[in-house]
Amino acid sequence: MSGIEVERVFIGAGCNRIVNNVSWGASNLVAFGCQNAIAVFCPNTAQILTTLPGHKSIVNCTHWLPTNKDAFKVQHKEEHFVLSGSADGVIMVWGISHKERKWRCVMQVPQPHKNGVTCITGIMVSQTVAMFASTSSDGTIFVWEMVFPSSTGGDCKLSCVDSLVVGSRPMVALSLAELPGNTGHIVLAMGGLDNKVHLYCGERTGKFIRACELKAHTDWIRSLDFSLPICTDGEKDSLLLVSSSQDRSIRIWKLALHVSQANSTVPYRKEGLGLTSYIEGPVLVAGSSSYQVSLESLLIGHEDWVYSVEWQPPLSTSGEGTDWYQPQSILSASMDKTMMIWRPERTTGIWVNAVTVGELSHCALGFYGGRWGPRGDSILAHGFGGSFHMWKNIGLNYENWQPQIVPSGHYAAVTDISWSKSGEYILSVSHDQTARIFSPWKYEERPGDGVSWHEIARPQVHGHDINCVTIIQGKGNQRFVSGADEKVSRVFESPISFLKTLNQAMLQKSSCLEDARDDVQILGANMSALGLSQKPIYVQTVNETVDRSGHDVSDSLETIPDAVPIVLTEPPIEEQLAWHTLWPESHKLYGHGNELFSLCCDHEGKLVASSCKAQSPTVAEIWLWEVGSWKAVARLQSHSLTVTQLEFSHDDAFLLAVSRDRQFSVFSIKKLEAGEVRYQLVARHEAHKRIIWACSWNPHRHEFATGSRDKTVKIWAVENGDSVRQLMVLPQFNCSITALSWAGCDRSGNDGLLAVGMDDGLIELWSLSRGAAAPSIRFDPFFCHVSTVHRLAWRRNAMESGDCRTLQLASCGADHSMRVFQVSIG
């Protein structure tokens, strides 16, 4: 078993639902908080590249250095940096080598905030020096100077320039800029719960002094952004600041260099009263220069809170990229589910809404923020459902903003996963109350293998947190059973639109479509008004738009379904996933007295076993359901507390159950012709000192593994069909064992790989051979989850016909992510 290599194939993850959480940098990579990790994705490939472990709490905000705004200052920088702030007040700095795409944790900022970091902003003041500021709900703001290393992989030098205390009303939005006029001064804008914009001035090495405050907004300030210096009469003598608020408005402020005063402290003011004198604000003094602040424009168009505003990144005045200017273009994102691009009209100069894009799904809440791409031709929003929405301007002579494919995933703990019968896709369920299907999508025109993974369907959108799932094995159409916090298991059956979409993804006749019955007449499903049941849409009802009297009834609400299921020819975007890829619900399984906790199906596809949360022997019963009739055919009693995992042996002769009561049970199962089941308790052992979280059978023999909170994994064998013997105990691990999955590498059962997932998110592979165990490989922490691994599941790589040396392992965890790894055995 030597020479094992692990390659990361796919990461599916959603975005933390927090303002300021997403940052798009000059590296053309997007960083976002995903539970306690920072995830990084490439917009060009719509793939998450990595997750960065290190934070111990929820990541609230990220910020790239250099930013899109500073890209022209450091065009050939080899290493880019990401700043991240978390809910426990910690700020970390990460570095990426641009050519090699290698990540490293550079440092943790030594002086943490006492409460959660809510916003980080920064600018490059030279090729190697940056300044950044952070604010927290503890009412403090820190300003730092950071000197980047001269060579890739070196250390950063960090010094605290100033710390500001703003009192009981914390600031939640920040922006930094260099003041025009070669004064060497930095201006810091901050806004928050007092509805005002506060401006502070300071030098790169000195204290920041309060300069003035801008009063106009009537609710919390949510976002601030300075432009680059603006030219007037050929000289860069003014700066624009845009602010957005929960009062649904956006304001543009102008800071104009007023006069240079060598010996005067009295700011210069215009004589006489004109229109401008009524909208002029205070004067900002920085050293020997002063700046007149005035309200340039008020933008009204959004119908809900405006959570973010951002100036378009600079553009080159020439193709050589030697001179850059600030485009007069602002992107705003709002909870009204729209993003808008604002520009001044050419003739009047009045700022107007030039472009509007948005989400047209049933989701009740909108966007938490919007970001420009580095070239200004792409815009990205992140929404309430942990989702991304990207549009790109593909027009030549006119603007034509079209939706683009983006990464997707769950935005809460992923609780269970299940491979399809033939391994063509994987189904995951989560506490975000959705079930999602991820699949490799083949592209004929792409070089290399031309395969990338995407979410291709969202078969269940539910009103309760989903805890467990199993795909029905055996012949027939694709079906799955899911269990949630509602005491009822639900059965779903794939519609014809999904099966044909899978064909498109595989570029061939999918075995799923071949196995489906000829009479699958369900095209898709509609969500009910309360979101608790998914009703089928039949093929006939979609085709029949004329009633018997000959009248066209296509405008009748009763005949037009809300969902429009179609066969997808490319990976779907969020709007399609959220509404048009549902599967119809065919049955509900009533019987359990508490929330469902575990489900499994036998390999023949004839029985489903289920368990629920329990604190007494009667509630801890394992129920067996007959597939098809969906009758409860047996109730197995053995445990006194929650059964945490269930699994049938490879030949379906035994059912293994492990429980919080520290015991495992093995039942012999025999299916009789009349649909009845005969069962017998073969063995019950108190196997561990703490809760047993996980179990897994050897795919070729009657051997199984159990893993526990006591940090041990034990291997057992069923002997003579009536007793269980312990074979070995693996050396103690550093953390609780929460997931196991056993892959058999030859049919004799002598060789196998046991995947072990732990409470800290790490994964290890152990080689099991002839009664001995040896550690094979420990996954790179950058590959792994950052919190509890909930489930592991092997699949023979469907792309490799019959090659047992190449396997795929899927995992899911509490860090909101689902991952697929390729394991190559040399």
Side-chain angles (χ1 to χ4, degrees):
M1 300 297 293
S2 60
I4 293 180
E5 292 185 1
V6 176
E7 181 185 349
R8 182 173 45 209
V9 175
F10 173 69
I11 303 172
C15 178
N16 290 343
R17 301 188 291 174
I18 303 169
V19 183
N20 301 322
N21 187 34
V22 176
S23 175
W24 195 343
S27 59
N28 197 26
L29 296 177
V30 176
F32 64 94
C34 174
Q35 207 235 13
N36 298 353
I38 297 94
V40 181
F41 83 80
C42 176
N44 294 337
T45 61
Q47 298 291 297
I48 296 175
L49 304 178
T50 189
T51 53
L52 309 178
H55 283 287
K56 306 299 181 190
S57 188
I58 298 292
V59 175
N60 285 342
C61 49
T62 60
H63 188 80
W64 281 96
L65 287 173
T67 64
N68 287 337
K69 200 184 298 182
D70 296 323
F72 70 95
K73 298 180 184 177
V74 284
Q75 290 183 63
H76 306 293
K77 193 168 184 59
E78 289 185 6
E79 193 169 26
H80 289 240
F81 298 87
V82 176
L83 305 170
S84 58
S86 59
D88 56 2
V90 172
I91 298 173
M92 300 188 77
V93 182
W94 311 84
I96 174 178
S97 171
H98 209 49
K99 291 181 180 178
E100 301 173 0
R101 288 283 168 96
K102 286 188 177 178
W103 288 92
R104 66 188 181 106
C105 180
V106 178
M107 67 188 309
Q108 179 176 319
V109 175
Q111 189 176 341
H113 289 279
K114 293 177 183 176
N115 292 335
V117 182
T118 53
C119 182
I120 299 175
T121 187
I123 55 169
M124 301 293 297
V125 291
S126 73
Q127 284 273 357
T128 57
V129 179
M131 293 193 71
F132 71 90
S134 61
T135 182
S136 164
S137 53
D138 63 9
T140 62
I141 294 161
F142 290 137
V143 183
W144 302 85
E145 183 184 71
M146 183 160 61
V147 181
F148 293 126
S150 55
S151 60
T152 302
D155 293 331
C156 288
K157 295 179 182 177
L158 193 67
S159 57
C160 184
V161 175
D162 201 358
S163 60
L164 309 170
V165 179
V166 295
S168 60
R169 292 191 170 185
M171 299 291 126
V172 294
L174 299 173
S175 187
L176 278 169
E178 291 183 273
L179 284 168
N182 299 316
T183 63
H185 282 74
I186 307 291
V187 58
L188 170 64
M190 60 182 77
L193 278 59
D194 64 356
N195 310 344
K196 302 173 187 174
V197 179
H198 302 269
L199 298 180
Y200 283 71
C201 276
E203 297 181 57
R204 276 173 49 178
T205 55
K207 295 287 184 183
F208 275 72
I209 300 168
R210 183 176 181 140
C212 60
E213 62 183 37
L214 311 178
K215 302 176 184 177
H217 288 290
T218 57
D219 207 336
W220 292 9
I221 310 292
R222 295 313 305 234
S223 184
L224 294 165
D225 192 35
F226 277 111
S227 70
L228 289 174
I230 306 296
C231 288
T232 307
D233 299 327
E235 291 189 12
K236 295 180 178 179
D237 61 357
S238 58
L239 204 61
L240 295 177
L241 170 67
V242 61
S243 62
S244 71
S245 165
Q246 289 180 184
D247 65 9
R248 308 180 182 184
S249 72
I250 300 166
R251 282 175 160 79
I252 303 174
W253 311 85
K254 187 174 184 179
L255 282 68
L257 182 60
H258 210 209
V259 66
S260 180
Q261 311 173 78
N263 302 311
S264 173
T265 58
V266 180
Y268 169 78
R269 277 200 171 275
K270 291 179 182 177
E271 295 295 329
L273 290 175
L275 177 63
T276 54
S277 65
Y278 289 102
I279 58 174
E280 280 183 357
V283 173
L284 181 148
V285 179
S288 59
S289 301
S290 65
Y291 298 81
Q292 177 65 60
V293 183
S294 59
L295 179 62
E296 180 82 358
S297 190
L298 168 64
L299 314 183
I300 297 176
H302 284 294
E303 298 175 358
D304 209 334
W305 298 355
V306 186
Y307 265 146
S308 81
V309 282
E310 186 174 88
W311 287 96
Q312 182 178 334
L315 296 175
S316 173
T317 54
S318 63
E320 300 173 2
T322 53
D323 198 13
W324 300 78
Y325 72 96
Q326 173 67 64
Q328 297 291 285
S329 185
I330 293 170
L331 175 69
S332 62
S334 165
M335 287 299 276
D336 66 6
K337 300 190 233 178
T338 64
M339 282 201 300
M340 295 182 179
I341 297 176
W342 305 81
R343 298 192 186 103
E345 279 190 330
R346 289 184 179 180
T347 52
T348 63
I350 297 173
W351 284 79
V352 295
N353 168 21
V355 177
T356 302
V357 294
E359 179 188 3
L360 299 174
S361 76
H362 66 292
C363 180
L365 293 172
F367 295 150
Y368 280 115
R371 295 287 177 259
W372 285 100
R375 291 192 292 270
D377 61 350
S378 297
I379 53 177
L380 177 77
H382 62 107
F384 174 77
S387 55
F388 289 107
H389 311 256
M390 189 167 83
W391 289 267
K392 187 172 184 177
N393 182 15
I394 60 173
L396 296 175
N397 300 322
Y398 61 93
E399 287 188 87
N400 181 12
W401 293 86
Q402 292 297 318
Q404 304 294 305
I405 301 167
V406 287
S408 64
H410 296 282
Y411 59 89
V414 188
T415 49
D416 205 356
I417 49 177
S418 181
W419 284 101
S420 67
K421 295 180 283 188
S422 53
E424 290 169 311
Y425 62 85
I426 189 164
L427 173 68
S428 62
V429 295
S430 164
H431 284 167
D432 70 3
Q433 304 184 349
T434 66
R436 303 178 189 232
I437 289 176
F438 299 91
S439 166
W441 195 287
K442 288 187 175 181
Y443 296 90
E444 286 180 327
E445 67 277 6
R446 281 195 185 176
D449 60 3
V451 174
S452 60
W453 282 70
H454 300 276
E455 183 182 351
I456 65 167
R458 201 166 296 169
Q460 184 181 3
V461 178
H462 194 35
H464 295 86
D465 293 0
I466 309 175
N467 300 321
C468 49
V469 71
T470 185
I471 288 179
I472 306 300
Q473 305 299 313
K475 295 181 180 179
N477 193 15
Q478 301 287 305
R479 291 174 290 182
F480 73 87
V481 184
S482 66
D485 282 354
E486 60 161 348
K487 309 178 186 178
V488 179
S489 300
R490 294 171 182 260
V491 184
F492 296 85
E493 189 158 337
S494 71
I496 197 73
S497 58
F498 168 77
L499 299 175
K500 289 182 177 179
T501 294
L502 202 57
N503 263 0
Q504 292 283 340
M506 297 287 114
L507 287 180
Q508 61 189 13
K509 186 106 175 174
S510 165
S511 60
C512 296
L513 194 57
E514 293 173 3
D515 291 343
R517 301 189 311 269
D518 294 333
D519 60 345
V520 175
Q521 293 298 307
I522 297 173
L523 186 65
N526 265 328
M527 178 65 70
S528 72
L530 295 177
L532 293 178
S533 186
Q534 294 170 198
K535 305 300 182 186
I537 301 170
Y538 293 97
V539 176
Q540 318 65 299
T541 58
V542 175
N543 296 332
E544 293 173 4
T545 57
V546 179
D547 65 8
R548 291 181 181 177
S549 61
H551 297 293
D552 187 357
V553 292
S554 58
D555 292 332
S556 166
L557 292 176
E558 287 77 14
T559 58
I560 297 181
D562 294 331
V564 186
I566 57 170
V567 179
L568 300 165
T569 56
E570 62 179 10
I573 58 174
E574 176 66 22
E575 285 74 11
Q576 293 169 315
L577 287 167
W579 203 231
H580 304 312
T581 60
L582 295 172
W583 288 19
E585 180 184 319
S586 58
H587 293 86
K588 292 183 179 70
L589 310 183
Y590 296 96
H592 285 291
N594 282 331
E595 300 95 326
L596 270 293
F597 198 86
S598 180
L599 283 163
C600 77
C601 180
D602 68 354
H603 298 80
E604 283 187 302
K606 293 183 177 179
L607 287 177
V608 168
S610 63
S611 70
C612 70
K613 295 180 182 178
Q615 292 183 325
S616 65
T618 52
V619 183
E621 290 177 330
I622 300 163
W623 287 54
L624 296 183
W625 311 84
E626 183 185 31
V627 174
S629 69
W630 298 111
K631 295 177 181 176
V633 292
R635 294 162 68 173
L636 317 183
Q637 292 188 342
S638 177
H639 295 283
S640 57
L641 294 174
T642 306
V643 173
T644 55
Q645 190 174 354
L646 296 159
E647 190 170 306
F648 284 94
S649 63
H650 59 96
D651 57 359
D652 295 334
F654 299 101
L655 174 64
L656 171 64
V658 294
S659 169
R660 296 182 71 104
D661 63 11
R662 310 175 185 180
Q663 298 180 334
F664 70 76
S665 299
V666 178
F667 297 89
S668 65
I669 304 291
K670 289 185 180 178
K671 306 179 193 77
L672 304 180
E673 290 184 2
E676 297 180 6
V677 172
R678 184 178 296 164
Y679 63 91
Q680 183 179 351
L681 180 63
V682 172
R684 180 175 63 221
H685 282 285
E686 184 163 337
H688 292 269
K689 298 176 182 176
R690 304 289 297 277
I691 294 170
I692 307 175
W693 283 123
C695 63
S696 184
W697 285 96
N698 181 335
H700 302 306
R701 297 169 70 178
H702 290 151
E703 297 174 356
F704 61 89
T706 57
S708 166
R709 185 181 277 177
D710 66 9
K711 305 179 183 178
T712 62
V713 173
K714 297 182 179 182
I715 311 298
W716 311 80
V718 180
E719 295 188 331
N720 304 320
D722 58 3
S723 64
V724 172
R725 177 173 66 92
Q726 180 176 311
L727 296 181
M728 68 176 105
V729 181
L730 272 58
Q732 187 155 351
F733 292 82
N734 296 324
C735 199
S736 300
I737 309 302
T738 54
L740 293 171
S741 187
W742 196 328
C745 291
D746 65 17
R747 296 209 169 270
S748 67
N750 289 327
D751 288 325
L753 274 181
L754 183 66
V756 181
M758 287 167 271
D759 197 35
D760 57 5
L762 299 181
I763 299 171
E764 294 184 12
L765 296 184
W766 284 72
S767 170
L768 304 179
S769 179
R770 297 172 184 83
S776 290
I777 193 167
R778 180 176 294 171
F779 285 24
D780 186 328
F782 280 76
F783 281 20
C784 295
H785 298 270
V786 298
S787 49
T788 308
V789 180
H790 281 152
R791 191 74 77 228
L792 294 167
W794 286 101
R795 159 221 182 188
R796 282 276 296 276
N797 190 350
M799 306 299 167
E800 302 282 341
S801 57
D803 180 13
C804 193
R805 298 289 107 181
T806 303
L807 303 100
Q808 285 192 340
L809 175 69
S811 67
C812 67
D815 64 352
H816 308 179
S817 73
M818 192 282 294
R819 298 161 191 257
V820 179
F821 307 95
Q822 184 151 300
V823 178
S824 303
I825 304 171

